[in-house]
Amino acid sequence: MDCSKLAEDGTPELGMEFNIEDDAYQFYNKYAFKMGFSVRKDYLNKDKDGVTTSRRYSCCKEGVKRKYEGDVMPKRTRAPTKTGCGAKMVIVLFRGTMKYRVHDIVLEHNHELHIVQCAHIMPSQRKVSEAQGFQAEISEDAGLSLKQSHELMGKEASGMGNVGYTREDLKRYLRTRRERSLKYGEAGSMLNYFQEQTLENPSFFHAVQLDCEEQITNIFWADAGMLIDYKFFGDVVTFDTTYKTNKEYRPLGVFVGFNQHRQIVIFGAALMYDETIDSFKWVFGTFLEAMCGKRPSTILTDQDHAMAAALSVVMPETFHGLCTFHIRRNFMKHLGNHYKENSDLPYMFGACMYEFEEVEQFNRVWEAMVKKHNLENNEWLSGLYRIRDKWARCMMKERWTAGMRSTQLSESLNAAIKNHLKLDHDLVQFFRHFNRVVDEKRHNELIAEYEMRQKLPMVGLRQTPMLVHASETYSPTVFVAFQNEYGESTAMVILRQQDAAMIVEFAVMRYDGGPERIVVFNRNDLSVRCSCKKYENEGILCGHALKVFDTVGIKIIPPEYIKRRWTKRARAGDCFDRRRREVVADPKIMISTRYRELAPAMIKVATRAAMSEDTSKVAITVISDLAKRVELLLSESEEQPLQNQKNLNMEERDKIEIVNEMGEAVVARGIKKRGGGKKSRVMRSWINKFDRVKRKSRLSRTTQTTASESEPTSVSIEEYMFMGCRSSTDSVSTHSMSQTVNGPPNAIAPNIDESETEERAALLTHCDVDAYHVFAPSPQGRNNTQGLQLRADVASPENEIDE
């Protein structure tokens, strides 16, 4: 029965009739999908012949959770989902017409309904059709895993949320087909991919940087969803680069933050040619351009001097914090030789980083640590102390970081990216597989949104107005953190209270000891300030402030102390791109909805028609006529699908023009290649122009002569630089150059002037200053030439040799 004709708007009404019981369920389930709730088949009555005489369909939140009647309460209980909702539809069989008629209907719900994007997660909407299961079996027979086959189904449905079941099922689906070759050249295919994304969504942003040879060096892109995420959650950003994600060995930089569920959101990504100051300046400047000039309040990076220099120029107002994880790792690297048995050096350093909240205490312990372990002359530790305002807790407690102290989000994302990407992917494949990671993170957010509306918060003290208010306001993850602080407030005691007109000062401390906090309360505007600065740093009221609120009689959270980014309605509002157009995350949402309705019906017809030759011919004839009618209607309609847009031919794809920084339209000549290779390969620099066999024979003769005559060995600086840079793990410095040279054990270092060594080392190498302690040339010089790097990067692959 065609249920869509029963009511104009699809709303159930009394007196509606259905031929069979399943028609009634399908109609009510379709209405539930549109409204945002799940349907549960409730009781039914049958006569002696087994014919259903009545049936009730209820909301999945009907009823209440049964109380535990045992003697010992379980340690872990499931969050309740039932709210006693009374929404239902009852059908009764009338013997005269033998049709089912709607006898009772209740449309009102007593709970919040789900959003459209979460509809596919609702139990009554989750169903794997026969055709989808058949495709999964074929993929499995072809050697694909279940995860890959279900990802493929998601691609055909134009999104993970349009198939009809959850992410656990979609993990078995192959989402994309890997392309082994580039059809229009690497640069042309990449730019065409960007143009296709722009046609699908005009808010898609991309930019490329050209060098003096009109070759593409740096690439940045951000889709519409990233622009929306940055508008609501772009106050705190982490940026980190990772390697081994593409065959060109280009570093991938990703701007990352987290949403109201404290889950990863991606704001933009960049494929960089190198990690110089100029490259970082271009990436950060392009990122701000894509985000309409909105700067983050805080950005966290690792200890990279090029990043720091670029951020100081591009984002001078933004607070630049350092990742504590990288600092601890560098601490072990630089001070590992100072470790002894039962040494307290790491504990004292960790306390300075994480525990001390007062500057005086930090300085006192730091001086004691340096003096005790004789680290007064350690340059790395002294340099770290000079920038202590970027990593020490006592210096950062008033900085807004949303609780972030490291780039752990970026590290977690990098691990997920490497699980999806392979080194043999070309750039277009790289972009498409990178989108898989982005879609996965967004789907995780949809699951969190669904669970936020499906599960009731676990409120410890249900009679507490402030906790009830917090559970209705904050997201579940943030509510748990707030509830922990409220629990801490119950253990707080007020030591003393000083009144001064409208200002009241409280001294608060835990009953069992701990640091004393000073909380200042203003009776005029009901504001509060605590010396622990938790609200200023994380956006959640601390237990000390909550204790004062309870003392003065404030039972709900004041609106000015509710950060919007932590609330359930964090995404409320519109977003506009740099051209003042409203950003739509998925402009094809209506197309996807219509496809969701059409695809199962068409697949079902095709499956049945394939059973015999006659039915197959009939189906082909009908489908051909239907296709002609559809094309005719589309040609007459103003709404043209994106697939009908004018496609570029091969010549046009290869000649896509790019506007450079001077405003001139130029044609990109290709992607600028980076030297690189596998771990088993070592790259040669331009200084090694001699034949390898001759050089080896010369070094062998020199070694034999030195060993036989026991005379000092003198090795040229060029040969030394080559030998010293053979391994990516070798750490070379000008100090070691003047003290140690590769040669026999009894060799004596040559007399090399230190200034001359610095100058010649700068001309021969392009190494990272911080990681390898080699004097590097200026950024201009690094951009104009591509020399030997300690990561085995060279100018041309022809100079590649085996270790």
Side-chain angles (χ1 to χ4, degrees):
M1 183 177 182
D2 188 3
C3 300
S4 62
K5 297 181 180 179
L6 294 176
E8 295 180 357
D9 57 350
T11 304
E13 298 176 356
L14 291 175
M16 284 183 174
E17 292 185 350
F18 304 89
N19 291 332
I20 59 176
E21 176 192 350
D22 189 62
D23 285 346
Y25 173 76
Q26 295 297 336
F27 174 79
Y28 193 57
N29 194 35
K30 182 178 179 181
Y31 167 76
F33 172 79
K34 181 179 67 174
M35 298 302 297
F37 69 95
S38 183
V39 178
R40 186 175 69 226
K41 292 183 178 181
D42 215 330
Y43 75 83
L44 79 158
N45 295 322
K46 294 184 178 181
D47 59 9
K48 61 181 180 180
D49 297 328
V51 179
T52 302
T53 57
S54 63
R55 159 78 81 173
R56 182 174 73 182
Y57 304 106
S58 305
C59 175
C60 68
K61 289 180 174 287
E62 185 269 338
V64 294
K65 185 177 181 179
R66 186 173 55 183
K67 295 184 179 180
Y68 185 78
E69 299 178 356
D71 296 331
V72 181
M73 291 293 294
K75 293 183 179 180
R76 300 182 62 183
T77 58
R78 293 182 179 179
T81 59
K82 298 181 179 181
T83 62
C85 180
K88 62 181 179 179
M89 186 181 78
V90 181
I91 58 174
V92 177
L93 177 65
F94 281 80
R95 297 292 181 176
T97 60
M98 292 303 294
K99 292 184 178 181
Y100 293 91
R101 183 179 298 174
V102 177
H103 178 70
D104 188 13
I105 185 71
V106 177
L107 302 179
E108 292 78 13
H109 295 262
N110 66 350
H111 56 87
E112 189 175 11
L113 299 178
H114 296 297
I115 59 179
V116 178
Q117 290 83 351
C118 295
H120 66 284
I121 310 178
M122 297 186 294
S124 64
Q125 306 296 335
R126 288 156 48 181
K127 181 181 179 181
V128 179
S129 66
E130 180 181 357
Q132 291 170 336
F134 181 72
Q135 290 181 354
E137 293 175 0
I138 294 178
S139 300
E140 186 177 8
D141 294 339
L144 300 177
S145 65
L146 292 178
K147 174 183 176 181
Q148 292 173 330
S149 64
H150 283 186
E151 286 180 348
L152 177 59
M153 294 179 186
K155 185 68 176 180
E156 293 175 350
S158 300
M160 292 183 177
N162 301 323
V163 178
Y165 36 89
T166 60
R167 172 60 181 165
E168 285 72 18
D169 298 324
L170 293 173
K171 287 182 179 178
R172 301 175 300 171
Y173 193 82
L174 181 61
R175 186 174 177 270
T176 56
R177 290 191 182 131
R178 188 173 182 183
E179 300 176 354
R180 293 290 182 181
S181 61
L182 291 174
K183 188 176 181 180
Y184 303 105
E186 199 169 27
S189 297
M190 181 196 69
L191 296 176
N192 179 71
Y193 168 79
F194 285 156
Q195 189 171 27
E196 290 177 352
Q197 297 297 316
T198 306
L199 289 175
E200 292 181 3
N201 195 326
S203 297
F204 181 86
F205 180 90
H206 68 278
V208 297
Q209 186 184 35
L210 303 181
D211 63 356
C212 58
E213 299 176 352
E214 297 180 357
Q215 290 186 332
I216 298 176
T217 55
N218 297 316
I219 309 164
F220 176 86
W221 73 98
D223 61 20
M226 297 176 184
L227 303 182
I228 297 175
D229 291 337
Y230 185 79
K231 172 181 170 30
F232 299 116
F233 309 110
D235 48 359
V236 180
V237 178
T238 67
F239 180 79
D240 193 18
T241 56
T242 182
Y243 289 87
K244 298 182 180 180
T245 60
N246 55 87
K247 66 180 181 180
E248 300 295 339
Y249 277 74
R250 287 173 173 263
L252 171 65
V254 185
F255 295 89
V256 182
F258 53 29
N259 55 19
Q260 73 272 34
H261 305 290
R262 299 191 75 90
Q263 294 177 333
I264 293 177
V265 289
I266 302 173
F267 303 138
L271 270 177
M272 306 174 62
Y273 176 73
D274 53 18
E275 293 185 284
T276 59
I277 296 178
D278 291 339
S279 293
F280 282 123
K281 286 170 62 177
W282 182 88
V283 169
F284 294 146
T286 307
F287 173 74
L288 293 182
E289 180 184 357
M291 304 305 168
C292 304
K294 178 184 176 182
R295 291 176 170 82
S297 301
T298 301
I299 185 170
L300 299 175
T301 67
D302 57 9
Q303 286 183 275
D304 189 279
H305 286 236
M307 283 190 197
L311 285 172
S312 62
V313 176
V314 181
M315 306 182 191
E317 300 87 0
T318 300
F319 171 71
H320 178 208
L322 297 180
C323 171
T324 56
F325 170 77
H326 287 88
I327 293 178
R328 292 298 298 266
R329 186 172 63 180
N330 292 335
F331 179 82
M332 296 289 295
K333 182 193 303 182
H334 290 85
L335 301 177
N337 58 334
H338 290 270
Y339 278 40
K340 299 179 181 178
E341 187 177 357
N342 300 326
S343 174
D344 60 349
L345 178 61
Y347 304 102
M348 297 180 70
F349 183 78
C352 293
M353 181 180 296
Y354 298 108
E355 296 181 8
F356 300 140
E357 299 182 2
E358 301 299 331
V359 179
E360 295 78 8
Q361 187 180 14
F362 169 84
N363 292 331
R364 184 170 61 255
V365 175
W366 184 275
E367 293 176 0
M369 176 188 69
V370 171
K371 184 176 181 181
K372 180 179 180 180
H373 297 277
N374 299 322
L375 299 174
E376 294 87 350
N377 298 325
N378 188 282
E379 296 182 1
W380 180 85
L381 198 63
S382 301
L384 186 66
Y385 179 78
R386 288 193 294 268
I387 56 174
R388 59 190 179 278
D389 59 321
K390 296 185 177 183
W391 55 267
R393 181 182 179 182
C394 61
M395 310 294 292
M396 294 182 61
K397 64 180 182 179
E398 296 187 17
R399 297 287 187 177
W400 168 246
T401 62
M404 266 196 288
R405 291 291 307 278
S406 68
T407 59
Q408 184 178 1
L409 291 177
S410 298
E411 299 292 341
S412 176
L413 180 64
N414 292 341
I417 290 174
K418 290 182 179 180
N419 290 335
H420 289 78
L421 299 177
K422 297 181 180 179
L423 289 178
D424 58 349
H425 284 170
D426 53 57
L427 284 182
V428 177
Q429 289 177 315
F430 170 85
F431 295 134
R432 291 175 177 170
H433 286 277
F434 180 81
N435 287 339
R436 293 175 54 195
V437 182
V438 177
D439 291 343
E440 180 181 1
K441 301 305 178 183
R442 291 173 180 170
H443 189 69
N444 291 338
E445 182 177 357
L446 288 181
I447 294 177
E449 288 283 339
Y450 170 80
E451 294 181 350
M452 179 177 66
R453 290 165 170 78
Q454 179 72 6
K455 299 179 181 179
L456 299 179
M458 302 288 290
V459 183
L461 302 175
R462 295 186 178 275
Q463 304 300 324
T464 306
M466 185 167 289
L467 285 182
V468 174
H469 180 222
S471 66
E472 297 173 352
T473 304
Y474 289 128
S475 66
T477 304
V478 180
F479 170 70
V480 171
F482 180 86
Q483 189 169 229
N484 293 336
E485 290 297 327
Y486 190 87
E488 286 289 325
S489 69
T490 59
M492 298 292 178
V493 295
I494 296 179
L495 301 179
R496 59 185 179 275
Q497 174 180 341
Q498 296 180 358
D499 295 350
M502 302 303 295
I503 304 298
V504 184
E505 185 177 290
F506 296 89
V508 185
M509 187 179 66
R510 281 184 58 92
Y511 77 98
D512 55 353
E516 178 181 321
R517 307 296 185 185
I518 303 300
V519 182
V520 179
F521 176 73
N522 191 326
R523 292 174 177 171
N524 187 21
D525 55 4
L526 302 181
S527 63
V528 64
R529 289 183 293 105
C530 181
S531 59
C532 73
K533 304 296 182 182
K534 184 179 183 64
Y535 177 79
E536 289 79 357
N537 184 260
E538 301 183 18
I540 302 176
L541 287 172
C542 60
H544 318 99
L546 294 176
K547 180 65 177 180
V548 172
F549 276 155
D550 184 69
T551 302
V552 299
I554 298 178
K555 298 301 182 182
I556 63 173
I557 308 174
E560 58 269 21
Y561 291 103
I562 298 178
K563 288 283 187 180
R564 181 180 174 181
R565 76 166 346 265
W566 298 134
T567 64
K568 296 179 179 180
R569 303 292 181 269
R571 289 185 175 273
D574 298 328
C575 178
F576 299 91
D577 60 14
R578 59 195 183 101
R579 294 185 175 91
R580 306 309 301 167
R581 294 175 301 195
E582 184 177 358
V583 180
V584 180
D586 188 4
K588 301 186 297 182
I589 185 67
M590 296 306 300
I591 299 178
S592 301
T593 303
R594 292 191 290 266
Y595 179 85
R596 180 186 176 89
E597 297 177 356
L598 293 173
M602 299 299 292
I603 293 175
K604 184 176 181 180
V605 171
T607 304
R608 296 295 299 170
M611 296 299 178
S612 68
E613 185 70 22
D614 296 337
T615 56
S616 178
K617 292 180 179 179
V618 172
I620 292 175
T621 303
V622 174
I623 291 175
S624 300
D625 296 338
L626 179 61
K628 294 179 181 178
R629 293 183 59 186
V630 170
E631 291 297 332
L632 179 61
L633 292 175
L634 289 177
S635 62
E636 296 175 355
S637 176
E638 295 180 357
E639 181 182 1
Q640 295 289 339
L642 296 176
Q643 289 78 6
N644 291 343
Q645 297 282 353
K646 180 182 178 181
N647 294 326
L648 299 175
N649 55 34
M650 181 179 294
E651 287 135 9
E652 290 174 336
R653 291 173 191 246
D654 290 334
K655 297 181 180 180
I656 297 179
E657 293 184 343
I658 303 175
V659 179
N660 58 16
E661 298 179 354
M662 304 299 295
E664 301 173 349
V666 297
V667 178
R669 296 184 178 179
I671 306 292
K672 191 175 181 64
K673 302 295 183 179
R674 275 179 57 92
K678 300 180 181 179
K679 293 183 178 179
S680 60
R681 313 292 291 178
V682 177
M683 317 306 294
R684 296 178 59 189
S685 68
W686 58 272
I687 62 173
N688 300 285
K689 299 180 180 179
F690 300 102
D691 183 74
R692 182 176 59 179
V693 178
K694 294 181 180 180
R695 188 179 73 256
K696 284 186 176 181
S697 62
R698 185 179 71 252
L699 293 176
S700 177
R701 290 195 302 269
T702 304
T703 304
Q704 293 175 1
T705 303
T706 306
S708 60
E709 299 178 1
S710 300
E711 294 180 356
T713 301
S714 177
V715 184
S716 66
I717 183 64
E718 289 82 1
E719 295 173 350
Y720 172 79
M721 291 303 300
F722 176 77
M723 293 184 292
C725 296
R726 284 186 59 86
S727 174
S728 62
T729 58
D730 290 341
S731 178
V732 186
S733 66
T734 52
H735 177 70
S736 61
M737 289 180 193
S738 60
Q739 299 295 330
T740 306
V741 179
N742 292 356
N746 60 348
I748 301 177
N751 295 326
I752 303 176
D753 183 74
E754 187 167 347
S755 61
E756 180 183 358
T757 302
E758 296 177 6
E759 180 179 358
R760 300 178 72 177
L763 293 174
L764 294 174
T765 62
H766 295 283
C767 304
D768 191 346
V769 179
D770 301 316
Y772 303 100
H773 306 285
V774 179
F775 288 85
S778 62
Q780 293 78 9
R782 299 178 72 174
N783 288 336
N784 294 333
T785 60
Q786 183 179 0
L788 176 66
Q789 296 187 0
L790 289 183
R791 285 190 177 273
D793 295 340
V794 298
S796 61
E798 290 81 2
N799 294 331
E800 189 175 16
I801 62 171
D802 296 327
E803 273 187 336

